[in-house]
Every structure is written in structure tokens, then in C-alpha cells.
Amino acid sequence: MEQAPCISQIATLLADPKRTAMIWALMDGSAKPSEELAMLAGLSASSANAHLARLAAGGLLRIEARGRKRFFRMAAADVGAAVDALASTTMASVARSASSRPVTALLAPASLRQARICHDHLGGEMAAALYQRMVLAKWIERFEQWLHVTPLGARHLAEHGIFTQALAQHSFSTMACDCSDWSEQQPHLGGALGAGLLQLFMQSRWLKTVNESSAVQVTETGRLEIARMAAV
């Protein structure tokens, strides 16, 4: 057990709802002053500063001095990725539980809801819409619990430079799978195909990363080209 990673240290920092609220407000890659974060979390200035100091000392936030004010932002992209993964797991676990209460989407900045990096693939509204178009266009289909790329889908994907046979040979992950999306009521595409599509979008400069955030900026060309993909 001594060799186990000390994930409990990070878990402890994220366990407090007030600290989580402040980190969540920074998920879009922005830098915010302590006063604004205090207001968002419903804390006094002194309490917010104490929480922010712990988050900064733990390596989750970075402090930027601007005159007499201190601004806080995510320390690195891996912090946002970890919080995003926790949000996705939270939504998926609620859906799997025996509870009959409906799953409600988590509130977040518009840029995160629109498009973001989820693990190694695209998440958000844009990704969920692309998933639904691929299903309707019969590029992908479900067989029992598994998601498959159809021959029709493989042909169309090859036209975009995505070769599913090559992905299957060079990837250790599943070709295609559902990924729970914490901001949507429907899944987006994960697996090797999801990663391949994100790589295509980034290399085509349709998407651009935003600071240390998991959010991505969609260019006008990217918006048009991704919307055309699998359009019925």
C-alpha cells in the first residue's frame, strides 16, 4: 500500500463543496480574482482566500499577481481533465444507480458545454450532436452492448482521412464506445475512433485549445466542417 499513489490528497482538496465550486468556475480556462470566486462560492473574502491558498499549495491552482489583486486559474491542463472526468463519472454513476431521480446536466460556462476535450476525444454539445448524426447516417450502430463502425461508416470516415482498420491495428482501446457527457442528456463518441476524430479536428485547425482548460475554441471553418460530417 505504501506504493499506491496519494490520490487521497487531491481527493481531500476536491471534497469540499466550496472549493469545488471555485474550481468549477475556472474550468473554462479563465483567471478570476479571489473576490469573484468568493461570491460565486457564497463565501466571505477571508474564507475564500483560505480555501484558495490550500488549492494553490496543493498544485491545483496558479496565482497571478495583477497590481494589488490576485487572480487564480487552473495550474495545468491535467487539473481540468481530472475534474471533467469526475463530473462525467458522477453523471454516469447517478444514471447507473437504483435511484429514480432524473439525471440533470451540470451547469458550466458556455464554452465548456459547446466543445471540450474529454479524456482523449471530443465532448460537449458538438460531440453529442456528431454522435447522433453518425447513428442516424448509419456510420455507427449498436449491437447488444457494443458500438460498431459499419462498412458505410468506414468508407465515409476514410474520405476524411480516418482509417478504421489502421486504428484497430495501432490502438489498444475499443474502436468505438459511448462516453457519458456531464453537460448533455446523450452520449458522445469515445474509443479509438473518438480519439482519431479529435486528432483530425485539431490537425485541421478546426479546434484550438484554450489555456489550461479542457474547453476548446471552435473556428468558423471547424463549425461548418464538423456540422457537415455525417449530415443526413
Side-chain angles (χ1 to χ4, degrees), residues 67-86:
R68 295 184 177 181
K69 284 193 173 184
R70 294 195 308 167
F71 284 70
F72 294 82
R73 69 163 69 246
M74 290 287 189
D78 58 78
V79 179
V83 175
D84 191 278
L86 286 171

Side-chain angles (χ1 to χ4, degrees), residues 38-59:
M39 182 181 64
L40 290 170
L43 290 169
S44 66
S46 59
S47 294
N49 283 327
H51 283 299
L52 290 167
R54 288 194 62 182
L55 292 170

Side-chain angles (χ1 to χ4, degrees), residues 114 126 206-207 218-228:
Q114 180 188 42
M126 182 169 286
W206 297 346
L207 304 176
V218 186
T219 66
E220 189 58 36
T221 300
R223 194 182 311 278
L224 294 172
E225 292 296 332
I226 295 173
R228 288 193 187 109

Side-chain angles (χ1 to χ4, degrees), residues 191-227:
L193 178 55
L197 285 168
L198 176 61
Q199 186 176 18
L200 168 66
F201 300 160
M202 298 297 288
Q203 289 178 345
S204 301
R205 299 189 178 182
W206 297 346
L207 304 176
K208 298 178 181 178
T209 55
V210 179
N211 299 323
E212 291 80 12
S213 172
S214 58
V216 290
Q217 179 183 354
V218 186
T219 66
E220 189 58 36
T221 300
R223 194 182 311 278
L224 294 172
E225 292 296 332
I226 295 173

Side-chain angles (χ1 to χ4, degrees), residues 83-96 101 103 106 182:
V83 175
D84 191 278
L86 286 171
S88 295
T89 301
T90 298
M91 299 299 288
S93 64
V94 170
R96 290 191 300 264
R101 62 190 178 94
V103 180
L106 301 177
W182 54 256

Side-chain angles (χ1 to χ4, degrees), residues 118-123 127-128 130-132 134-135 139-150 157 164 167 171-181 186-197:
C118 176
H119 304 295
D120 60 353
H121 54 267
L122 185 66
L130 176 58
Y131 178 99
Q132 293 302 316
M134 291 177 75
V135 170
W139 287 21
I140 55 176
E141 63 182 9
R142 178 172 301 285
F143 180 72
E144 295 181 348
Q145 300 299 316
W146 302 99
L147 201 63
H148 296 274
V149 180
T150 67
L157 288 165
T164 53
L167 287 177
S171 176
F172 294 101
S173 63
T174 304
M175 171 57 67
C177 62
D178 292 348
C179 184
S180 299
D181 197 307
Q186 51 191 353
H188 59 249
L189 185 65
L193 178 55
L197 285 168

